[in-house]
mmCIF file of all heavy atoms in Angstrom:
data_model
loop_
_atom_site.group_PDB
_atom_site.id
_atom_site.type_symbol
_atom_site.label_atom_id
_atom_site.label_comp_id
_atom_site.label_asym_id
_atom_site.label_seq_id
_atom_site.Cartn_x
_atom_site.Cartn_y
_atom_site.Cartn_z
ATOM 1 N N MET W 84 5.055 -55.308 15.928
ATOM 2 C CA MET W 84 5.862 -55.285 17.141
ATOM 3 C C MET W 84 5.402 -54.152 18.064
ATOM 4 O O MET W 84 5.327 -54.328 19.267
ATOM 5 C CB MET W 84 7.329 -55.108 16.775
ATOM 6 C CG MET W 84 8.222 -55.094 17.987
ATOM 7 S SD MET W 84 9.938 -55.145 17.493
ATOM 8 C CE MET W 84 10.669 -54.263 18.817
ATOM 9 N N PHE W 85 5.104 -52.988 17.489
ATOM 10 C CA PHE W 85 4.677 -51.880 18.343
ATOM 11 C C PHE W 85 3.323 -52.151 18.978
ATOM 12 O O PHE W 85 3.051 -51.688 20.084
ATOM 13 C CB PHE W 85 4.656 -50.576 17.545
ATOM 14 C CG PHE W 85 6.025 -50.048 17.247
ATOM 15 C CD1 PHE W 85 6.501 -50.006 15.948
ATOM 16 C CD2 PHE W 85 6.853 -49.612 18.270
ATOM 17 C CE1 PHE W 85 7.771 -49.545 15.677
ATOM 18 C CE2 PHE W 85 8.121 -49.143 18.007
ATOM 19 C CZ PHE W 85 8.583 -49.108 16.700
ATOM 20 N N SER W 86 2.486 -52.900 18.305
ATOM 21 C CA SER W 86 1.196 -53.234 18.914
ATOM 22 C C SER W 86 1.398 -54.128 20.138
ATOM 23 O O SER W 86 0.697 -53.992 21.137
ATOM 24 C CB SER W 86 0.285 -53.925 17.898
ATOM 25 O OG SER W 86 0.859 -55.137 17.480
ATOM 26 N N TYR W 87 2.390 -55.017 20.062
ATOM 27 C CA TYR W 87 2.712 -55.871 21.209
ATOM 28 C C TYR W 87 3.203 -55.017 22.376
ATOM 29 O O TYR W 87 2.792 -55.211 23.520
ATOM 30 C CB TYR W 87 3.777 -56.899 20.815
ATOM 31 C CG TYR W 87 4.155 -57.836 21.939
ATOM 32 C CD1 TYR W 87 3.384 -58.949 22.213
ATOM 33 C CD2 TYR W 87 5.270 -57.588 22.734
ATOM 34 C CE1 TYR W 87 3.717 -59.811 23.254
ATOM 35 C CE2 TYR W 87 5.613 -58.431 23.766
ATOM 36 C CZ TYR W 87 4.834 -59.540 24.020
ATOM 37 O OH TYR W 87 5.163 -60.371 25.050
ATOM 38 N N ILE W 88 4.074 -54.054 22.073
ATOM 39 C CA ILE W 88 4.597 -53.177 23.123
ATOM 40 C C ILE W 88 3.467 -52.331 23.710
ATOM 41 O O ILE W 88 3.403 -52.122 24.927
ATOM 42 C CB ILE W 88 5.729 -52.300 22.568
ATOM 43 C CG1 ILE W 88 6.937 -53.180 22.230
ATOM 44 C CG2 ILE W 88 6.130 -51.221 23.569
ATOM 45 C CD1 ILE W 88 8.055 -52.454 21.531
ATOM 46 N N LYS W 89 2.573 -51.846 22.861
ATOM 47 C CA LYS W 89 1.444 -51.042 23.354
ATOM 48 C C LYS W 89 0.564 -51.849 24.305
ATOM 49 O O LYS W 89 0.055 -51.314 25.287
ATOM 50 C CB LYS W 89 0.600 -50.550 22.185
ATOM 51 C CG LYS W 89 1.172 -49.365 21.473
ATOM 52 C CD LYS W 89 0.223 -48.905 20.385
ATOM 53 C CE LYS W 89 0.827 -47.776 19.588
ATOM 54 N NZ LYS W 89 -0.055 -47.354 18.510
ATOM 55 N N ARG W 90 0.405 -53.138 24.015
ATOM 56 C CA ARG W 90 -0.432 -53.980 24.887
ATOM 57 C C ARG W 90 0.255 -54.316 26.203
ATOM 58 O O ARG W 90 -0.401 -54.549 27.204
ATOM 59 C CB ARG W 90 -0.791 -55.280 24.165
ATOM 60 C CG ARG W 90 -1.955 -55.121 23.212
ATOM 61 C CD ARG W 90 -2.349 -56.448 22.638
ATOM 62 N NE ARG W 90 -1.341 -56.832 21.639
ATOM 63 C CZ ARG W 90 -1.052 -58.077 21.290
ATOM 64 N NH1 ARG W 90 -1.696 -59.074 21.837
ATOM 65 N NH2 ARG W 90 -0.143 -58.329 20.386
ATOM 66 N N HIS W 91 1.586 -54.373 26.211
ATOM 67 C CA HIS W 91 2.317 -54.828 27.390
ATOM 68 C C HIS W 91 3.201 -53.740 28.002
ATOM 69 O O HIS W 91 4.171 -54.041 28.681
ATOM 70 C CB HIS W 91 3.186 -56.039 27.013
ATOM 71 C CG HIS W 91 2.396 -57.205 26.556
ATOM 72 N ND1 HIS W 91 2.117 -57.450 25.244
ATOM 73 C CD2 HIS W 91 1.792 -58.200 27.251
ATOM 74 C CE1 HIS W 91 1.390 -58.542 25.137
ATOM 75 N NE2 HIS W 91 1.160 -59.010 26.346
ATOM 76 N N TRP W 92 2.868 -52.467 27.794
ATOM 77 C CA TRP W 92 3.729 -51.404 28.288
ATOM 78 C C TRP W 92 3.895 -51.402 29.803
ATOM 79 O O TRP W 92 4.979 -51.064 30.286
ATOM 80 C CB TRP W 92 3.277 -50.036 27.775
ATOM 81 C CG TRP W 92 1.978 -49.554 28.352
ATOM 82 C CD1 TRP W 92 0.754 -49.710 27.829
ATOM 83 C CD2 TRP W 92 1.811 -48.835 29.573
ATOM 84 N NE1 TRP W 92 -0.187 -49.146 28.633
ATOM 85 C CE2 TRP W 92 0.423 -48.592 29.715
ATOM 86 C CE3 TRP W 92 2.677 -48.360 30.552
ATOM 87 C CZ2 TRP W 92 -0.097 -47.910 30.804
ATOM 88 C CZ3 TRP W 92 2.151 -47.678 31.644
ATOM 89 C CH2 TRP W 92 0.783 -47.461 31.761
ATOM 90 N N PRO W 93 2.892 -51.802 30.612
ATOM 91 C CA PRO W 93 3.148 -51.807 32.070
ATOM 92 C C PRO W 93 4.277 -52.765 32.457
ATOM 93 O O PRO W 93 5.075 -52.465 33.338
ATOM 94 C CB PRO W 93 1.812 -52.248 32.675
ATOM 95 C CG PRO W 93 0.793 -51.904 31.652
ATOM 96 C CD PRO W 93 1.482 -52.116 30.347
ATOM 97 N N THR W 94 4.348 -53.894 31.765
ATOM 98 C CA THR W 94 5.420 -54.855 32.050
ATOM 99 C C THR W 94 6.777 -54.247 31.740
ATOM 100 O O THR W 94 7.722 -54.368 32.524
ATOM 101 C CB THR W 94 5.214 -56.136 31.213
ATOM 102 O OG1 THR W 94 3.928 -56.656 31.497
ATOM 103 C CG2 THR W 94 6.271 -57.172 31.541
ATOM 104 N N TYR W 95 6.878 -53.582 30.580
ATOM 105 C CA TYR W 95 8.137 -52.951 30.212
ATOM 106 C C TYR W 95 8.505 -51.853 31.199
ATOM 107 O O TYR W 95 9.672 -51.664 31.539
ATOM 108 C CB TYR W 95 8.069 -52.392 28.794
ATOM 109 C CG TYR W 95 8.160 -53.462 27.743
ATOM 110 C CD1 TYR W 95 7.049 -53.865 27.019
ATOM 111 C CD2 TYR W 95 9.365 -54.094 27.476
ATOM 112 C CE1 TYR W 95 7.121 -54.850 26.068
ATOM 113 C CE2 TYR W 95 9.456 -55.088 26.528
ATOM 114 C CZ TYR W 95 8.341 -55.463 25.824
ATOM 115 O OH TYR W 95 8.431 -56.449 24.888
ATOM 116 N N LEU W 96 7.516 -51.105 31.666
ATOM 117 C CA LEU W 96 7.773 -50.041 32.632
ATOM 118 C C LEU W 96 8.312 -50.621 33.937
ATOM 119 O O LEU W 96 9.309 -50.136 34.480
ATOM 120 C CB LEU W 96 6.483 -49.261 32.890
ATOM 121 C CG LEU W 96 6.586 -48.111 33.882
ATOM 122 C CD1 LEU W 96 7.490 -47.019 33.330
ATOM 123 C CD2 LEU W 96 5.217 -47.558 34.186
ATOM 124 N N ILE W 97 7.695 -51.675 34.433
ATOM 125 C CA ILE W 97 8.137 -52.306 35.679
ATOM 126 C C ILE W 97 9.539 -52.886 35.516
ATOM 127 O O ILE W 97 10.407 -52.701 36.379
ATOM 128 C CB ILE W 97 7.125 -53.386 36.117
ATOM 129 C CG1 ILE W 97 5.813 -52.719 36.557
ATOM 130 C CG2 ILE W 97 7.697 -54.247 37.235
ATOM 131 C CD1 ILE W 97 4.679 -53.690 36.740
ATOM 132 N N LEU W 98 9.800 -53.564 34.396
ATOM 133 C CA LEU W 98 11.125 -54.141 34.171
ATOM 134 C C LEU W 98 12.192 -53.055 34.043
ATOM 135 O O LEU W 98 13.317 -53.229 34.517
ATOM 136 C CB LEU W 98 11.112 -55.019 32.923
ATOM 137 C CG LEU W 98 10.309 -56.307 33.044
ATOM 138 C CD1 LEU W 98 10.268 -57.043 31.716
ATOM 139 C CD2 LEU W 98 10.878 -57.201 34.132
ATOM 140 N N THR W 99 11.841 -51.936 33.429
ATOM 141 C CA THR W 99 12.784 -50.824 33.323
ATOM 142 C C THR W 99 13.110 -50.259 34.699
ATOM 143 O O THR W 99 14.279 -49.991 35.014
ATOM 144 C CB THR W 99 12.195 -49.717 32.421
ATOM 145 O OG1 THR W 99 11.921 -50.273 31.134
ATOM 146 C CG2 THR W 99 13.158 -48.558 32.277
ATOM 147 N N LEU W 100 12.103 -50.102 35.539
ATOM 148 C CA LEU W 100 12.338 -49.588 36.893
ATOM 149 C C LEU W 100 13.194 -50.560 37.707
ATOM 150 O O LEU W 100 14.074 -50.130 38.463
ATOM 151 C CB LEU W 100 11.009 -49.332 37.600
ATOM 152 C CG LEU W 100 10.175 -48.192 37.013
ATOM 153 C CD1 LEU W 100 8.820 -48.115 37.715
ATOM 154 C CD2 LEU W 100 10.912 -46.874 37.112
ATOM 155 N N ILE W 101 12.955 -51.857 37.544
ATOM 156 C CA ILE W 101 13.763 -52.854 38.255
ATOM 157 C C ILE W 101 15.211 -52.790 37.772
ATOM 158 O O ILE W 101 16.149 -52.837 38.575
ATOM 159 C CB ILE W 101 13.170 -54.264 38.066
ATOM 160 C CG1 ILE W 101 11.854 -54.374 38.828
ATOM 161 C CG2 ILE W 101 14.145 -55.339 38.527
ATOM 162 C CD1 ILE W 101 11.082 -55.650 38.543
ATOM 163 N N ALA W 102 15.405 -52.655 36.455
ATOM 164 C CA ALA W 102 16.761 -52.581 35.904
ATOM 165 C C ALA W 102 17.491 -51.345 36.415
ATOM 166 O O ALA W 102 18.677 -51.408 36.763
ATOM 167 C CB ALA W 102 16.703 -52.574 34.380
ATOM 168 N N ILE W 103 16.796 -50.216 36.494
ATOM 169 C CA ILE W 103 17.408 -48.991 37.012
ATOM 170 C C ILE W 103 17.780 -49.168 38.479
ATOM 171 O O ILE W 103 18.874 -48.787 38.913
ATOM 172 C CB ILE W 103 16.458 -47.794 36.812
ATOM 173 C CG1 ILE W 103 16.350 -47.468 35.317
ATOM 174 C CG2 ILE W 103 16.937 -46.572 37.589
ATOM 175 C CD1 ILE W 103 15.265 -46.479 34.983
ATOM 176 N N ALA W 104 16.882 -49.757 39.271
ATOM 177 C CA ALA W 104 17.153 -49.970 40.693
ATOM 178 C C ALA W 104 18.352 -50.902 40.881
ATOM 179 O O ALA W 104 19.214 -50.652 41.736
ATOM 180 C CB ALA W 104 15.921 -50.546 41.380
ATOM 181 N N LEU W 105 18.426 -51.972 40.094
ATOM 182 C CA LEU W 105 19.563 -52.892 40.202
ATOM 183 C C LEU W 105 20.855 -52.202 39.792
ATOM 184 O O LEU W 105 21.910 -52.429 40.401
ATOM 185 C CB LEU W 105 19.329 -54.131 39.334
ATOM 186 C CG LEU W 105 18.284 -55.111 39.850
ATOM 187 C CD1 LEU W 105 18.064 -56.218 38.826
ATOM 188 C CD2 LEU W 105 18.700 -55.698 41.182
ATOM 189 N N GLY W 106 20.797 -51.361 38.778
ATOM 190 C CA GLY W 106 21.987 -50.622 38.350
ATOM 191 C C GLY W 106 22.486 -49.688 39.435
ATOM 192 O O GLY W 106 23.685 -49.632 39.724
ATOM 193 N N PHE W 107 21.576 -48.942 40.057
ATOM 194 C CA PHE W 107 21.981 -48.049 41.145
ATOM 195 C C PHE W 107 22.499 -48.848 42.334
ATOM 196 O O PHE W 107 23.461 -48.447 42.984
ATOM 197 C CB PHE W 107 20.813 -47.164 41.580
ATOM 198 C CG PHE W 107 20.661 -45.929 40.744
ATOM 199 C CD1 PHE W 107 19.528 -45.740 39.972
ATOM 200 C CD2 PHE W 107 21.651 -44.956 40.726
ATOM 201 C CE1 PHE W 107 19.378 -44.608 39.190
ATOM 202 C CE2 PHE W 107 21.508 -43.814 39.953
ATOM 203 C CZ PHE W 107 20.365 -43.642 39.184
ATOM 204 N N GLY W 108 21.873 -49.982 42.617
ATOM 205 C CA GLY W 108 22.329 -50.829 43.719
ATOM 206 C C GLY W 108 23.733 -51.356 43.478
ATOM 207 O O GLY W 108 24.580 -51.337 44.375
ATOM 208 N N ALA W 109 23.994 -51.820 42.266
ATOM 209 C CA ALA W 109 25.330 -52.322 41.934
ATOM 210 C C ALA W 109 26.356 -51.207 42.003
ATOM 211 O O ALA W 109 27.474 -51.404 42.505
ATOM 212 C CB ALA W 109 25.315 -52.949 40.542
ATOM 213 N N ALA W 110 26.014 -50.019 41.504
ATOM 214 C CA ALA W 110 26.935 -48.889 41.561
ATOM 215 C C ALA W 110 27.240 -48.510 43.016
ATOM 216 O O ALA W 110 28.382 -48.189 43.359
ATOM 217 C CB ALA W 110 26.350 -47.698 40.816
ATOM 218 N N TYR W 111 26.234 -48.578 43.870
ATOM 219 C CA TYR W 111 26.434 -48.268 45.284
ATOM 220 C C TYR W 111 27.379 -49.273 45.938
ATOM 221 O O TYR W 111 28.298 -48.904 46.667
ATOM 222 C CB TYR W 111 25.085 -48.249 46.009
ATOM 223 C CG TYR W 111 25.213 -48.017 47.492
ATOM 224 C CD1 TYR W 111 25.451 -46.742 47.980
ATOM 225 C CD2 TYR W 111 25.106 -49.068 48.392
ATOM 226 C CE1 TYR W 111 25.580 -46.517 49.343
ATOM 227 C CE2 TYR W 111 25.227 -48.863 49.758
ATOM 228 C CZ TYR W 111 25.462 -47.584 50.218
ATOM 229 O OH TYR W 111 25.600 -47.379 51.563
ATOM 230 N N VAL W 112 27.156 -50.558 45.676
ATOM 231 C CA VAL W 112 28.001 -51.598 46.265
ATOM 232 C C VAL W 112 29.437 -51.442 45.798
ATOM 233 O O VAL W 112 30.371 -51.515 46.596
ATOM 234 C CB VAL W 112 27.445 -53.001 45.910
ATOM 235 C CG1 VAL W 112 28.449 -54.090 46.250
ATOM 236 C CG2 VAL W 112 26.140 -53.242 46.645
ATOM 237 N N VAL W 113 29.636 -51.200 44.510
ATOM 238 C CA VAL W 113 30.993 -51.012 43.989
ATOM 239 C C VAL W 113 31.619 -49.776 44.617
ATOM 240 O O VAL W 113 32.798 -49.783 44.980
ATOM 241 C CB VAL W 113 30.964 -50.907 42.450
ATOM 242 C CG1 VAL W 113 32.308 -50.444 41.912
ATOM 243 C CG2 VAL W 113 30.582 -52.244 41.847
ATOM 244 N N GLY W 114 30.852 -48.718 44.767
ATOM 245 C CA GLY W 114 31.375 -47.495 45.382
ATOM 246 C C GLY W 114 31.781 -47.713 46.822
ATOM 247 O O GLY W 114 32.821 -47.223 47.268
ATOM 248 N N VAL W 115 30.990 -48.444 47.581
ATOM 249 C CA VAL W 115 31.316 -48.714 48.985
ATOM 250 C C VAL W 115 32.574 -49.572 49.069
ATOM 251 O O VAL W 115 33.461 -49.313 49.888
ATOM 252 C CB VAL W 115 30.129 -49.404 49.693
ATOM 253 C CG1 VAL W 115 30.552 -49.975 51.035
ATOM 254 C CG2 VAL W 115 28.986 -48.423 49.866
ATOM 255 N N LYS W 116 32.682 -50.587 48.224
ATOM 256 C CA LYS W 116 33.850 -51.455 48.265
ATOM 257 C C LYS W 116 35.112 -50.712 47.829
ATOM 258 O O LYS W 116 36.184 -50.946 48.351
ATOM 259 C CB LYS W 116 33.635 -52.678 47.380
ATOM 260 C CG LYS W 116 32.674 -53.660 47.975
ATOM 261 C CD LYS W 116 32.619 -54.940 47.179
ATOM 262 C CE LYS W 116 31.659 -55.922 47.806
ATOM 263 N NZ LYS W 116 32.269 -56.784 48.753
ATOM 264 N N ALA W 117 34.991 -49.803 46.876
ATOM 265 C CA ALA W 117 36.144 -49.047 46.394
ATOM 266 C C ALA W 117 36.592 -48.008 47.425
ATOM 267 O O ALA W 117 37.764 -47.625 47.447
ATOM 268 C CB ALA W 117 35.820 -48.381 45.075
ATOM 269 N N ARG W 118 35.680 -47.556 48.265
ATOM 270 C CA ARG W 118 36.008 -46.517 49.246
ATOM 271 C C ARG W 118 36.809 -47.097 50.422
ATOM 272 O O ARG W 118 37.562 -46.379 51.052
ATOM 273 C CB ARG W 118 34.704 -45.904 49.759
ATOM 274 C CG ARG W 118 34.891 -44.538 50.348
ATOM 275 C CD ARG W 118 33.580 -43.876 50.701
ATOM 276 N NE ARG W 118 32.430 -44.488 50.060
ATOM 277 C CZ ARG W 118 31.212 -44.466 50.564
ATOM 278 N NH1 ARG W 118 30.985 -43.874 51.687
ATOM 279 N NH2 ARG W 118 30.209 -45.038 49.927
ATOM 280 N N ARG W 119 36.582 -48.362 50.735
ATOM 281 C CA ARG W 119 37.242 -48.968 51.889
ATOM 282 C C ARG W 119 38.720 -49.191 51.618
ATOM 283 O O ARG W 119 39.080 -49.653 50.536
ATOM 284 C CB ARG W 119 36.621 -50.319 52.204
ATOM 285 C CG ARG W 119 35.300 -50.206 52.894
ATOM 286 C CD ARG W 119 34.930 -51.531 53.491
ATOM 287 N NE ARG W 119 33.486 -51.634 53.570
ATOM 288 C CZ ARG W 119 32.815 -52.725 53.364
ATOM 289 N NH1 ARG W 119 33.433 -53.849 53.077
ATOM 290 N NH2 ARG W 119 31.509 -52.739 53.445
ATOM 291 N N PRO W 120 39.576 -48.940 52.584
ATOM 292 C CA PRO W 120 40.996 -49.292 52.406
ATOM 293 C C PRO W 120 41.166 -50.797 52.407
ATOM 294 O O PRO W 120 40.431 -51.518 53.099
ATOM 295 C CB PRO W 120 41.694 -48.652 53.606
ATOM 296 C CG PRO W 120 40.613 -48.466 54.619
ATOM 297 C CD PRO W 120 39.328 -48.307 53.867
ATOM 298 N N ARG W 121 42.104 -51.263 51.627
ATOM 299 C CA ARG W 121 42.318 -52.723 51.555
ATOM 300 C C ARG W 121 43.004 -53.227 52.804
ATOM 301 O O ARG W 121 43.901 -52.602 53.336
ATOM 302 C CB ARG W 121 43.183 -53.060 50.350
ATOM 303 C CG ARG W 121 42.473 -52.845 49.066
ATOM 304 C CD ARG W 121 43.237 -53.444 47.948
ATOM 305 N NE ARG W 121 42.443 -53.281 46.727
ATOM 306 C CZ ARG W 121 42.611 -54.015 45.669
ATOM 307 N NH1 ARG W 121 43.524 -54.941 45.643
ATOM 308 N NH2 ARG W 121 41.861 -53.817 44.626
ATOM 309 N N GLN W 122 42.588 -54.400 53.247
ATOM 310 C CA GLN W 122 43.207 -55.041 54.406
ATOM 311 C C GLN W 122 44.409 -55.834 53.927
ATOM 312 O O GLN W 122 44.368 -56.478 52.904
ATOM 313 C CB GLN W 122 42.192 -56.005 55.042
ATOM 314 C CG GLN W 122 40.907 -55.323 55.401
ATOM 315 C CD GLN W 122 40.818 -55.038 56.885
ATOM 316 O OE1 GLN W 122 41.503 -55.657 57.642
ATOM 317 N NE2 GLN W 122 39.981 -54.108 57.256
ATOM 318 N N GLN W 123 45.480 -55.791 54.711
ATOM 319 C CA GLN W 123 46.676 -56.540 54.314
ATOM 320 C C GLN W 123 46.999 -57.627 55.280
ATOM 321 O O GLN W 123 46.761 -57.640 56.407
ATOM 322 C CB GLN W 123 47.860 -55.614 54.184
ATOM 323 C CG GLN W 123 47.671 -54.661 53.034
ATOM 324 C CD GLN W 123 48.950 -53.887 52.781
ATOM 325 O OE1 GLN W 123 49.957 -54.078 53.439
ATOM 326 N NE2 GLN W 123 48.877 -52.995 51.830
#
């Protein structure tokens, strides 16, 4: 299994960066929506 990871580490690195970016993006969207006062 580690030999497979060693051969494909750039893919894992790119996917990890995408996952981090999506996580920060989702946290930002939730933060913006939570900051707004609710409309009645």
